[in-house]
Amino acid sequence: MFLLNKMKRNSCALVFLMTFLLIGGEFLVKAQTAGLVPLSGSIVTESSNSTAEAPQYEPIPGVNIVWADEGLNGSTTAGSVTDAEGKFSLSRAEGQNRIVVSFVGFKTDTIDVTGYNKVMVVLEADAEMLEAFEVARAKRSTFISTVDPIKTENITQDELCKAACCSLAESFETNASIDAADADGVSGAKEIRMLGLDGVYVQMMTEGIPSPRGLATTYGLTHIPGPWVGGIAINKGSGSVQNGYEAMTGQINLTWPDADKAPPLVINTFVNDMGRSEANVNIAHQLKKRPMSTILLLHGSGLIHNEGLNSKHDANKDGFWDMPQTKTFAATNYWKYRREKMVGRFGADVIYENRDAGQVSFNPNEIRDNENGYGIGIDTRRLHLFNKTGRILNDAKSRSIGLVLAGTYHEQNAFFGLRDYEGVQRTLYANLLFQTDLKTNQHQIKAGASMLLDDYAENFEGEDYGRTDKVPGVFGEYTYKSADNSFNAVIGNRLDVHQKFGLKVSPRLHLKYALTDDLIWRASAGRAWRQANIFAENTGIFASARTLEVQEELLPEEAWNTGFSLTQNFTLGNGDGYTSFDYYYTHFVNQVIADGYTNSSVLSFYNLDGDSYSHSAQLEFGYSPVKGLDLKGAYKWDNAWSTFGGEFFRLPFESIHKGLFNIAYEIPSEKWRFDVTAQLNGRKALLNTAGTDLGIGNSYSPFYTLFFVQTSYHFPMLDIYLGGENVGNFKQANPIVSANNPFGSTFDATNIWGPIAGRRLFLKLVFTLEKLDSKS
């Protein structure tokens, strides 16, 4: 299966060239020389999360390409091998018109390229060969797709292994695009940020299905174990209309390990010096007599407070546990099936967690009152079911239809001191997608319909905050690819109808232009909207003495996002590398304001009355000068402001400047591996804490740096990881305001700008049982 693309010159290349020069790039124009133009292009295969309704591709490094024909007069030319991005260039002699493409584990293909000087070949996996050979791809642990018209940063399992621990929320230590931090100083909740805004404006997806969302926003990322994740794709800016209307600043899509390729058994265990421990078991099975496979993912973790570790659990001596006591069990099981013209997945996941925190003196077995101390208890129960089915409708595989169905039940009951919260979310989701090429694959149409039903039953301090959202919608998307695949345009629109707020329109535009094979320019613009969940998205309601004030009916949040990016792949010496620059601007039409500035004793919610926006720019590079050595560095600038009580303030808890540097080295024998990461965090705006004992003389946090180190050793079936988080032992001083009087009017555990826990040492063991020759 392949796509042939004929090269063209485009007059607008000069415009894009000028854009690149303005930001300090370098573009080399090669003069055309006499003789035949070499054949160039890329070799790709369908990615593990590709479906009939939404095909996705990834490059294949190390593919061999040779001419099947001798040139006239018997002349021959040398073959070529694809690089880390799947790209190649092949010298050409007159009369050479067919190439042979081969790689272990894939079907060898012979392709007629008469009249073409650029091609993109999609190789099909050979199931029998994949059983006999282990396919090792020497690609970067993080790479930016050169095929996708939407800028997509792909994080592989190799990159995830650099993170010490343990959940998805803790998997972004070596990633500059995503910031992860504590949401408050007592509950252990984690939050992420992207493009200078809260993570709630990022559409989270699992296997292409919107999830976790809603009430799972607060703890959802901590409920996804890192060892479960097969890969993460990060899209900045507006996403595709086929995935819904909620992507304001981007999308994060995580995939499970591919059941077709995963080892039969992986056991991952972890323990750190604070007493936190966890175990993950991945069990995969491929049925030989049926085109089906399945994987079962199990997780159990906990942190138990005990007297022997009390000095570590309350290192800052404020009388509160630095980390919550948790008991978590989670399981996911999905099945994958494939027939001649049909592919599908179905499965379920469950979560059961108890989380206790608060003052060291609090006894959960006694009555909750001032005498017993300030306690926190959070119980979470969750069930998620899904089914994805795609069917190819013609022999050319250019027309397909897909259906996605999902249902979620999420229950969370909590108390913070004397405050009680109960929340239940019931969600049904359906998405029908039709996709077809128009005559050729240069023109593609996607159209579909969706239905989202959210039913929330929430009660806080005896007051009902329940609501129901019914949102049917239709969408359409047109994709154009030039003959040489150098230019792509994706134009889409959604029409959704909320039963209360009426029609919502969400147009989207994505452009990609390849100035050269290695220099990619992208731009995007789009509108998105969402319904805010004030409790799940603002733990400050619970973990402080602030009173809750909802001043008016809260309308849907709406925003425009525009941006562009430039990605340059390069070869320097014997190594490959890349540089990437992107800039995005998000402007809110309406935003639900959580106002903690105007009054230090009240958290007010109201609709935006003024301006609110975010500017975000990021420069990143990666380079592998020699085999085994990977270098990565990045700088990010975020400038986000909003209107609070008629005044313009910088959004709190977002680093204005952030830097990241990572160095990873693997010795030639591939036994030892070393990783060092440094995070540079600029100052952050803080909320109003006037009249409290915070001890900070201005409204900004200081600059600080965090360091992470890890070393690992590889045995044939066992990998051992030893390392440390925050090895510099940096901690925020006095993270909890009025910790000695938690029932007083100035208590506040939400002004968190840095780490609460100090240095943490860990040990991780990963046992992997490779595939055996068995029959079902």
Side-chain angles (χ1 to χ4, degrees):
M1 175 183 176
F2 62 91
L3 303 171
L4 294 177
N5 303 292
K6 192 172 182 179
M7 292 190 71
K8 292 182 178 179
R9 294 187 179 275
N10 196 314
S11 60
C12 63
L14 181 59
V15 177
F16 301 135
L17 172 59
M18 293 176 64
T19 302
F20 183 66
L21 291 174
L22 285 173
I23 68 165
E26 179 178 348
F27 180 64
L28 301 179
V29 180
K30 296 182 179 180
Q32 186 174 355
T33 58
L36 294 177
V37 177
L39 179 72
S40 63
S42 59
I43 312 296
V44 300
T45 186
E46 287 193 47
S47 65
S48 60
N49 59 339
S50 180
T51 63
E53 69 271 18
Q56 299 182 38
Y57 304 102
E58 60 181 28
I60 313 177
V63 178
N64 296 303
I65 306 100
V66 297
W67 289 108
D69 313 299
E70 290 186 353
L72 296 182
N73 302 320
S75 59
T76 60
T77 57
S80 179
V81 178
T82 57
D83 61 17
E85 294 296 324
K87 296 182 178 298
F88 73 92
S89 180
L90 191 62
S91 299
R92 189 176 205 166
E94 188 174 355
Q96 291 182 319
N97 297 313
R98 293 184 303 151
I99 58 172
V100 178
V101 182
S102 61
F103 189 63
V104 174
F106 293 83
K107 295 180 180 179
T108 300
D109 209 347
T110 301
I111 302 163
D112 189 341
V113 293
T114 303
Y116 294 88
N117 53 27
K118 187 172 184 180
V119 298
M120 185 174 81
V121 181
V122 182
L123 285 185
E124 276 189 61
D126 189 319
E128 294 182 0
M129 293 183 68
L130 284 175
E131 290 177 11
F133 295 94
E134 178 182 357
V135 180
R137 300 183 184 176
K139 65 182 180 183
R140 304 186 196 105
S141 58
T142 300
F143 63 95
I144 299 173
S145 171
T146 59
V147 178
D148 200 326
I150 302 175
K151 183 183 179 182
T152 304
E153 180 181 357
N154 295 280
I155 301 175
T156 68
Q157 263 289 351
D158 288 341
E159 184 72 12
L160 293 172
C161 286
K162 295 180 182 179
C165 179
C166 282
S167 66
L168 182 63
E170 299 163 295
S171 298
F172 299 108
E173 292 174 356
T174 61
N175 185 272
S177 299
I178 307 295
D179 298 330
D182 293 310
D184 59 65
V186 289
S187 71
K190 299 287 184 179
E191 63 182 6
I192 63 170
R193 291 174 177 267
M194 189 164 78
L195 303 188
L197 295 169
D198 196 283
V200 299
Y201 300 115
V202 179
Q203 184 180 35
M204 294 296 305
M205 296 188 296
T206 304
E207 295 282 350
I209 301 173
S211 178
R213 53 182 297 279
L215 300 190
T217 301
T218 308
Y219 304 100
L221 297 182
T222 63
H223 291 156
I224 301 175
W228 285 12
V229 180
I232 303 174
I234 302 173
N235 301 336
K236 292 184 179 180
S238 301
S240 170
V241 295
Q242 73 183 56
N243 294 320
Y245 51 79
E246 295 181 319
M248 289 186 171
T249 58
Q251 296 174 324
I252 298 178
N253 182 43
L254 64 94
T255 58
W256 304 134
D258 189 346
D260 287 340
K261 304 174 184 177
L265 178 65
V266 177
I267 301 175
N268 184 306
T269 61
F270 170 94
V271 64
N272 71 9
D273 62 337
M274 294 190 73
R276 178 177 177 178
S277 60
E278 75 167 51
N280 297 278
V281 179
N282 300 0
I283 303 171
H285 183 61
Q286 298 83 38
L287 281 69
K288 302 295 183 181
K289 297 180 180 180
R290 297 182 181 88
M292 296 184 69
S293 58
T294 184
I295 190 165
L296 175 64
L297 309 173
L298 301 173
H299 167 87
S301 63
L303 186 149
I304 308 300
H305 296 155
N306 61 74
E307 294 183 3
L309 292 174
N310 276 357
S311 61
K312 289 182 175 293
H313 289 157
D314 182 23
N316 55 20
K317 307 302 181 183
D318 62 1
F320 277 77
W321 299 116
D322 294 339
M323 296 178 65
Q325 178 173 276
T326 58
K327 297 178 182 178
T328 306
F329 171 77
T332 289
N333 178 224
Y334 84 80
W335 290 77
K336 180 178 178 181
Y337 60 92
R338 185 184 295 270
R339 297 178 182 175
E340 182 179 358
K341 291 186 177 182
M342 180 176 289
V343 63
R345 298 187 184 197
F346 62 91
D349 59 75
V350 295
I351 295 169
Y352 180 96
E353 181 183 76
N354 295 328
R355 182 180 294 249
D356 298 313
Q359 288 185 298
V360 175
S361 61
F362 175 73
N363 186 343
N365 298 319
E366 296 183 3
I367 297 174
R368 286 191 291 129
D369 56 21
N370 293 19
E371 297 294 328
N372 189 17
Y374 188 95
I376 295 173
I378 306 166
D379 294 336
T380 302
R381 312 289 184 262
R382 178 180 173 87
L383 172 65
H384 177 72
L385 307 172
F386 72 91
N387 180 77
K388 300 172 63 177
T389 304
R391 183 174 180 82
I392 298 172
L393 301 178
N394 62 352
D395 292 335
K397 299 183 179 181
S398 62
R399 185 175 302 149
S400 62
I401 189 169
L403 176 65
V404 178
L405 299 172
T408 302
Y409 176 84
H410 187 101
E411 178 181 348
Q412 185 173 300
N413 299 313
F415 66 85
F416 284 68
L418 304 180
R419 293 178 155 187
D420 292 298
Y421 168 82
E422 295 178 352
V424 174
Q425 173 188 350
R426 299 175 179 87
T427 295
L428 293 176
Y429 172 76
N431 194 35
L432 178 67
L433 174 67
F434 173 76
Q435 174 180 299
T436 184
D437 292 345
L438 301 177
K439 294 186 178 179
T440 70
N441 58 17
Q442 287 184 245
H443 305 272
Q444 185 184 80
I445 290 289
K446 294 179 182 179
S450 66
M451 179 66 191
L452 179 63
L453 174 62
D454 282 325
D455 180 64
Y456 295 97
E458 293 184 277
N459 187 287
F460 178 58
E461 295 191 306
E463 187 169 347
D464 180 35
Y465 291 89
R467 77 170 198 271
T468 299
D469 298 321
K470 300 176 183 177
V471 188
V474 295
F475 59 89
E477 189 174 82
Y478 166 73
T479 300
Y480 168 77
K481 294 185 292 185
S482 62
D484 62 354
N485 203 37
S486 63
F487 177 73
N488 296 66
V490 181
I491 304 171
N493 197 8
R494 287 191 64 93
L495 301 176
D496 296 284
V497 180
H498 190 281
Q499 89 277 6
K500 186 175 183 180
F501 300 111
L503 178 66
K504 298 293 181 183
V505 181
S506 306
R508 310 278 173 84
L509 172 66
H510 299 274
L511 302 174
K512 187 199 83 168
Y513 187 80
L515 292 99
T516 69
D517 286 345
D518 295 318
L519 178 58
I520 310 296
W521 174 89
R522 291 180 174 91
S524 66
R527 183 184 180 108
W529 67 280
R530 63 181 296 274
Q531 283 284 98
N533 295 286
I534 61 174
F535 295 104
E537 298 163 15
N538 298 275
T539 57
I541 299 174
F542 306 125
S544 74
R546 295 176 185 262
T547 59
L548 170 65
E549 182 182 66
V550 181
Q551 296 184 0
E552 57 185 329
E553 181 182 27
L554 302 179
L555 302 176
E557 296 185 296
E558 300 181 45
W560 284 93
N561 181 282
T562 57
F564 75 94
S565 68
L566 283 159
T567 304
Q568 171 75 63
N569 296 305
F570 63 86
T571 299
L572 180 63
N574 295 323
D576 295 326
Y578 73 95
T579 58
S580 176
F581 174 82
D582 60 55
Y583 165 79
Y584 292 90
Y585 172 66
T586 307
H587 184 267
F588 282 90
V589 178
N590 183 57
Q591 186 178 21
V592 173
I593 301 298
D595 186 356
Y597 279 110
T598 304
N599 190 326
S600 62
S601 62
V602 177
L603 187 60
S604 300
F605 291 92
Y606 49 82
N607 297 308
L608 176 66
D609 184 14
D611 206 5
S612 183
Y613 61 76
S614 170
H615 297 275
S616 181
Q618 181 173 317
L619 179 65
E620 182 173 336
F621 80 92
Y623 180 51
S624 302
V626 296
K627 183 180 179 180
L629 179 62
D630 295 318
L631 307 174
K632 183 168 72 172
Y635 166 75
K636 184 172 64 171
W637 171 75
D638 290 319
N639 187 31
W641 295 74
S642 191
T643 305
F644 297 85
E647 296 188 47
F648 211 45
F649 290 98
R650 187 183 295 277
L651 291 183
F653 310 126
E654 179 63 50
S655 291
I656 304 170
H657 305 280
K658 182 175 181 179
L660 182 143
F661 182 75
N662 172 259
I663 179 171
Y665 178 67
E666 185 176 61
I667 65 173
S669 67
E670 299 183 351
K671 295 292 186 181
W672 286 99
R673 182 181 178 91
F674 308 91
D675 289 280
V676 179
T677 301
Q679 289 181 1
L680 290 75
N681 297 272
R683 61 178 191 158
K684 304 176 184 180
L686 303 178
L687 291 176
N688 179 11
T689 54
T692 69
D693 58 356
L694 184 61
I696 297 178
N698 56 55
S699 58
Y700 285 89
S701 68
F703 172 91
Y704 65 93
T705 303
L706 301 178
F707 296 95
F708 305 84
V709 298
Q710 178 177 273
T711 183
S712 62
Y713 186 82
H714 174 70
F715 291 98
M717 298 176 65
L718 179 68
D719 292 278
I720 302 175
Y721 298 82
L722 181 66
E725 302 175 90
N726 188 12
V727 294
N729 202 34
F730 178 84
K731 293 179 287 187
Q732 177 181 342
N734 305 318
I736 301 177
V737 178
S738 297
N740 60 344
N741 186 21
F743 297 101
S745 61
T746 59
F747 174 73
D748 191 350
T750 64
N751 229 21
I752 304 302
W753 50 262
I756 300 172
R759 182 189 302 110
R760 285 172 287 180
L761 305 178
F762 68 88
L763 172 67
K764 182 167 63 174
L765 305 177
V766 181
F767 169 81
T768 304
L769 177 65
E770 299 299 337
K771 291 185 177 181
L772 302 176
D773 185 15
S774 60
K775 296 183 180 181
S776 300

